[in-house]
Structure formats: structure tokens, C-alpha cells
Amino acid sequence: MKVYKEIVAQARELTSSDITEQETILWRLLCYAAKMPLRKNQEELISQAQHIILQAPDTYFSGRILPFNVFKWGTGSRLILVTHGWSSKAADFTSLITALTVIENVTVVAFDAPGNGSSPGELSNLILYTEALQAIYRQFGNPDIVIGHSLGAMANMMSLEQAGIKPELLISIAPVINLKALFNNMMEAVNIPEKIRETFFERFFERFKEPASAYDLTNYTLEAASKDHWIAYDDQDAVVNTDFLIAFLKLHPGIETTLFSGTGHEKLIRQEELLQELMQRVRRILL
């Protein structure tokens, strides 16, 4: 957390004079995932898992193949995959994973995306999440149920579409819909001037060979995403703009939703009523 505070302080002092410096600091602001130590109950959960190391290519930053840590509970025939959000980790789903492992005949898989939690990596990004998910599909096969939060929910939808996998149930909690909007929100939060933000997005295009606006779930058909999709969200979410979610839902009227107003972006994954409804939906599929 100390490193991230230093990055925020540097970002607040950015000037328009040095474009290279701007880009370096802004990529760190947007793609450095602060790492928090595990609490005791999280340590206990992780200690009960089988630990597996997989790899994902980091095409756009380090240019290396990055290892990442995967955790597996159970040996049942029904596979449940849990994907954490930005600057998070598998252990942040301790309450949910604990409840899921009680269900008979399930295998629960979660992971720390490259650069997040216990997994090495200086900077992380959405593409690394999707590459990690593709590695998990290859290792464990097609999941029956996929659960994700925030950027992890966005990565789930993108990777399932890319792989042509259609789980029986997809659960998205406070999903990021528009990556450019998320980046703008993060930069506005530390008072980055509009001109510097515009220059950053020009450099984004140079690095990724497509604009940040291309990473928008309204551009995806999501025909393969899921047979049954449930989205839980907070209309007062300070991290993701729910206007983009509402526009997305208009394109996909078959998606079921539940509003948990005023809960907060990070707290949604621990909200008791949300966890109860989530478990009811999971049990309907598996039992």
C-alpha cells in the first residue's frame, strides 16, 4: 500500500511537460495492484487449497511469461471458477469460497491474477486477466459456474466469449463495462488534467494497437458468455459508472439483476444478502 500511495502522490503532481514521464506514472497508477497481507481466516482458507502455478503471457508490459498462483478446493465433477477484481486476490472471496466448498461434488478454483495478491508481476492489466483465464480453462476444462467481481467480471465475459465456453451460470458482481471510463474515473480521482488524459489515451492506442474504447462490453455479442447470467450491482458505486451497466443491460434484456444500493464496490462481495442470493442461484444449478 505504501508503494501505491507514492504513485498517487506522483500522479497528483504531474505536469504537461514530459510525455514519457506522464505515461510511466499513469500506467503505474492504473496498473499497479496494491498488495495487502492475508488476514488469519484468509490464510486458513488458502492453506486448505491445492496450490498450482500456471503461466500467462505479458505481451504489453514486461514481454515475459508470468507465473500466477491458482488455488483449488475439492475434487468434485462440477467446476466453479471465481475471478477477483482489480488490486484484489482470491482470498478476498473467503466467505464465498468457504460456502461453495460445502456443496457436494464441486471443485472450486480461484487465482491471483498476474501482478495481484501472491502472484509476481510489476503491473497488471485486463489482457493479463483474460490470458490467465484461458490458461485455467486449458488446465481444468470448461467451468459449470463462473463468478467474478469488477474487472474480473469483465475479464470473465471477454474470455468466455473468446473461448466459446458457455457455463450453466455466470455471476457478475459490480462488473466493469467500459475500461476507458474506469481509467478516466481513476485519473479524475487524482485530478489528472484532461489534456494529459487525452495524451495518455493516444499512447494507449500506440501500445495496444486499438483504442481504450474498444474494451467495452457493449461491443461484444456475448452469445457464448452464459446460459444464465445474474448481475449484482450498486447504483451508487463510486468505482464503476452504472450508466454503462444500464446501457449494457438494454442490449442484453435476458440478464437478471439485483440492486444492492449503497453497499459499496469492494463491500459487495461480502454483503450477506448478496451472498445468500448467490448461493441460492448456485444451488439451483448444482442440486
Side-chain angles (χ1 to χ4, degrees):
M1 185 58 74
K2 179 182 178 182
V3 174
Y4 185 71
K5 288 180 179 179
E6 292 173 352
I7 294 170
V8 169
Q10 291 175 335
R12 289 185 185 279
E13 297 175 0
L14 272 185
T15 66
S16 58
S17 58
D18 188 339
I19 293 177
T20 301
E21 179 188 26
Q22 292 172 22
E23 185 180 15
T24 299
I25 292 174
L26 288 177
W27 276 122
R28 295 189 74 207
L29 174 72
L30 299 171
C31 295
Y32 175 82
K35 299 185 178 184
M36 304 295 291
L38 297 181
R39 296 187 294 273
K40 184 176 180 180
N41 65 325
Q42 294 176 328
E43 289 179 345
E44 290 175 355
L45 177 72
I46 296 300
S47 70
Q48 296 165 6
Q50 177 185 351
H51 293 210
I52 301 159
I53 298 176
L54 297 179
Q55 296 181 324
D58 182 15
T59 304
Y60 297 102
F61 288 109
S62 70
R64 297 184 289 112
I65 302 296
L66 297 181
F68 67 97
N69 295 317
V70 181
F71 311 100
K72 173 176 169 284
W73 296 265
T75 58
S77 64
R78 308 303 296 276
L79 178 60
I80 303 174
L81 172 62
V82 180
T83 307
H84 66 77
W86 180 248
S87 196
S88 185
K89 54 190 178 295
D92 289 335
F93 282 93
T94 291
S95 296
L96 171 60
I97 292 171
T98 300
L100 291 172
T101 57
V102 175
I103 302 173
E104 291 185 5
N105 195 34
V106 300
T107 295
V108 179
V109 170
F111 65 103
D112 290 352
N116 290 260
S118 64
S119 294
E122 177 64 23
L123 299 178
S124 191
N125 59 75
L126 174 63
I127 303 303
L128 268 175
Y129 272 65
T130 61
E131 292 285 4
L133 285 163
Q134 298 297 344
I136 287 172
Y137 302 150
R138 291 191 294 270
Q139 177 73 20
F140 297 100
N142 296 358
D144 297 288
I145 295 175
V146 179
I147 302 168
H149 174 238
S150 189
L151 191 74
M154 183 181 201
N156 283 345
M157 286 186 255
M158 289 177 60
S159 65
L160 290 169
E161 182 77 3
Q162 291 162 356
I165 296 172
K166 196 165 188 175
E168 293 185 47
L169 174 63
L170 175 62
I171 294 176
S172 302
I173 303 169
V176 174
I177 300 297
N178 184 303
L179 187 66
K180 184 176 181 179
L182 175 66
F183 281 176
N184 260 321
N185 192 28
M186 294 173 71
M187 289 190 281
E188 287 175 358
V190 294
N191 302 315
I192 302 298
E194 184 177 359
K195 179 60 178 176
I196 293 179
R197 283 184 275 132
E198 290 175 355
T199 301
F200 169 78
F201 286 120
E202 291 172 3
R203 301 296 285 265
F204 182 103
F205 180 84
E206 293 174 9
R207 181 183 293 260
F208 288 90
K209 310 306 178 189
E210 57 185 349
S213 57
Y215 297 92
D216 179 348
L217 289 179
T218 60
N219 296 331
Y220 284 72
T221 63
L222 298 181
E223 292 177 359
S226 181
K227 301 172 184 176
D228 184 0
H229 191 177
W230 176 58
I231 292 179
Y233 72 103
D234 177 2
D235 59 352
Q236 300 178 41
D237 196 319
V239 176
V240 296
N241 187 331
T242 54
D243 289 345
F244 293 99
L245 175 60
I246 299 305
F248 171 77
L249 291 172
K250 288 180 179 178
L251 297 174
H252 303 279
I255 296 175
E256 295 186 54
T257 63
T258 303
L259 172 64
F260 296 90
S261 188
T263 301
H265 187 78
E266 291 83 8
K267 292 181 180 179
L268 272 169
I269 61 173
R270 300 187 297 276
Q271 215 264 12
E272 187 59 35
E273 289 79 9
L274 186 153
L275 292 177
Q276 289 177 4
E277 182 169 354
L278 185 155
M279 290 302 298
Q280 288 174 0
R281 291 174 178 273
V282 167
R283 290 182 180 278
R284 257 198 325 257
I285 296 294
L286 298 181
L287 301 180

